[in-house]
């Protein structure tokens, strides 16, 4: 990648770090660093445009609608404002913002296709960070931020049919594993991510098995 593009990436990284350094929901600066590194790793193997991949990874959680009164356009709009300030060419800006708009998981039975290979790579990297040991830690951080119960055996998980039902859901943190995290392994776009996801998935299964044993007094 040329020096000019690398400079843009490091300048934007500095801005994102400032904005997300004290974020407490698991969408903090270090989540961004992990997604950027993983996206670069997968993107190199998949032969993608790494400038687009790294920009989208850096900016994908810059302004999440969940924390901005449900404004679904706030993420891509904020990203566009930053990219245009750095004079990133229009077609790259459109591509990055399009990836950010379509990245999120929206419920068990709602497809979230990515129309470009760069988008597929960033979606995989973001989803890999939602599973495994780090995924468990992030789910607990998010549940605490939302004042959710850790677990309530009387509440059963729901496989949502619409994104509205999924987003309105106020379920427990343990149910989030069944409603999202355990489903991600089979929704990876690339072979590289599928292989990494398999190990992280098995770790979550072991965690849940132990959690349930302890719940029953073991
Ligand atoms: P996406 O990255 O697909 O947009 P989110 O930003 O909603 O997904 O979620 C990122 C992470 O935040 C999840 O993988 C999980 O760790 C946590 N999270 C989101 N919703 C919940 C929830 N209802 N309960 C527990 N954790 C959650
Ligand atoms: Ni993310």
């Amino acid at each position: 990648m040329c020096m000019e593009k690398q400079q843009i990436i490091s300048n934007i990284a500095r801005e994102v770090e400032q904005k997300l350094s004290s974020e407490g929901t698991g969408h903090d600066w270090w989540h961004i660093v992990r997604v950027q590194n993983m996206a670069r790793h997968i993107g190199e193997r998949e032969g993608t445009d790494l400038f687009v991949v790294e920009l989208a990874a850096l900016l994908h959680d810059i302004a999440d609608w969940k924390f901005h009164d449900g404004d679904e356009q706030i993420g891509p709009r904020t990203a566009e404002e930053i990219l245009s300030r750095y004079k990133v060419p229009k077609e790259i800006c459109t591509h990055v913002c399009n990836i950010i708009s379509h990245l999120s998981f929206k419920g068990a039975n709602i497809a979230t296709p990515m129309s470009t290979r760069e988008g597929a790579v960033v979606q995989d990297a973001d989803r890999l960070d939602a599973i495994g040991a780090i995924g468990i830690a992030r789910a607990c951080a998010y549940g605490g931020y939302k004042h959710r119960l850790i677990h309530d055996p009387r509440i059963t998980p729901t496989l949502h049919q619409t994104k509205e039902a999924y987003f309105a859901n106020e379920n427990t943190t343990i149910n989030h594993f069944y409603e999202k995290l355990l489903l991600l392994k089979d929704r990876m776009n690339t072979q590289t991510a599928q292989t990494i996801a398999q190990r992280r998935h098995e770790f979550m299964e072991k965690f849940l098995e132990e959690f349930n044993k302890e719940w029953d007094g073991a």
Side-chain angles (χ1 to χ4, degrees), residues 42 54 62 74 86 111 132 156 159 165 199:
I42 304 172
E54 293 209 37
I62 192 68
I74 187 133
Y86 288 97
T156 50
L159 296 179
R199 205 195 75 242

Side-chain angles (χ1 to χ4, degrees), residues 180-216:
K180 175 182 178 185
L181 307 184
L182 292 171
L183 309 176
L184 293 179
K185 170 177 73 69
D186 294 330
R187 293 177 68 151
M188 295 294 159
N189 303 302
T190 63
Q191 186 58 51
T192 310
Q194 273 162 24
T195 306
I196 300 170
Q198 182 63 40
R199 205 195 75 242
R200 296 187 182 195
H201 180 89
E202 286 165 15
F203 186 82
M204 287 194 298
E205 284 188 324
K206 280 200 203 97
F207 165 76
L208 289 167
E209 197 186 312
E210 174 65 17
F211 185 97
N212 288 325
K213 272 192 202 154
E214 291 180 19
W215 192 270
D216 292 333

Side-chain angles (χ1 to χ4, degrees), residues 4-209:
E4 194 192 344
K5 287 180 178 174
Q6 273 172 12
Q7 194 58 53
I8 293 173
I9 287 175
S10 63
N11 286 342
I12 291 180
R14 211 168 309 131
E15 255 191 66
V16 177
E17 179 174 8
Q18 272 170 10
K19 184 153 181 193
L20 297 180
S21 56
S22 59
E23 212 276 354
T25 70
H27 297 74
D28 58 273
W29 167 241
W30 291 109
H31 164 62
I32 306 301
V33 172
R34 293 189 301 268
V35 173
Q36 185 189 3
N37 289 339
M38 182 62 83
R40 192 189 306 116
H41 170 72
I42 304 172
E44 276 167 357
R45 289 166 167 238
E46 298 288 323
T48 52
D49 179 341
L50 291 181
F51 189 48
V52 170
V53 164
E54 293 209 37
L55 287 174
L58 274 174
L59 291 168
H60 83 278
D61 277 334
I62 192 68
D64 193 318
W65 62 270
K66 289 195 289 306
F67 312 115
H68 291 86
D69 296 329
D71 175 1
E72 285 194 48
Q73 284 313 306
I74 187 133
R77 218 171 45 233
T78 309
E80 188 178 11
E81 180 272 310
I82 294 171
L83 292 167
S84 58
R85 227 176 333 104
Y86 288 97
K87 310 215 176 336
V88 170
K90 188 82 195 124
E91 68 277 10
I92 292 182
C93 182
T94 305
H95 190 173
V96 170
C97 293
N98 191 44
I99 292 173
I100 296 170
S101 298
H102 293 94
L103 207 64
S104 274
F105 184 83
K106 298 182 176 69
N109 292 309
I110 296 101
T112 46
M114 298 303 286
S115 59
T116 66
R117 280 185 309 165
E118 286 74 15
V121 163
V122 180
Q123 189 177 59
D124 278 0
D126 191 31
R127 290 182 173 179
L128 282 172
D129 208 56
I131 62 177
I134 288 177
I136 294 169
R138 292 183 70 217
C140 295
Y142 188 94
Y145 169 80
K146 287 282 191 181
H147 304 286
R148 301 263 165 84
L149 284 180
I150 296 171
H151 182 46
D152 182 341
R154 295 167 301 187
I155 307 174
T156 50
T158 311
L159 296 179
H160 298 98
Q161 302 292 338
T162 66
K163 71 171 189 178
E164 288 75 17
Y166 174 70
F167 290 136
N169 162 38
E170 300 261 290
N171 229 327
T172 63
T173 298
I174 289 295
N175 276 357
H176 190 62
F177 284 81
Y178 299 97
E179 294 173 353
K180 175 182 178 185
L181 307 184
L182 292 171
L183 309 176
L184 293 179
K185 170 177 73 69
D186 294 330
R187 293 177 68 151
M188 295 294 159
N189 303 302
T190 63
Q191 186 58 51
T192 310
Q194 273 162 24
T195 306
I196 300 170
Q198 182 63 40
R199 205 195 75 242
R200 296 187 182 195
H201 180 89
E202 286 165 15
F203 186 82
M204 287 194 298
E205 284 188 324
K206 280 200 203 97
F207 165 76
L208 289 167
E209 197 186 312

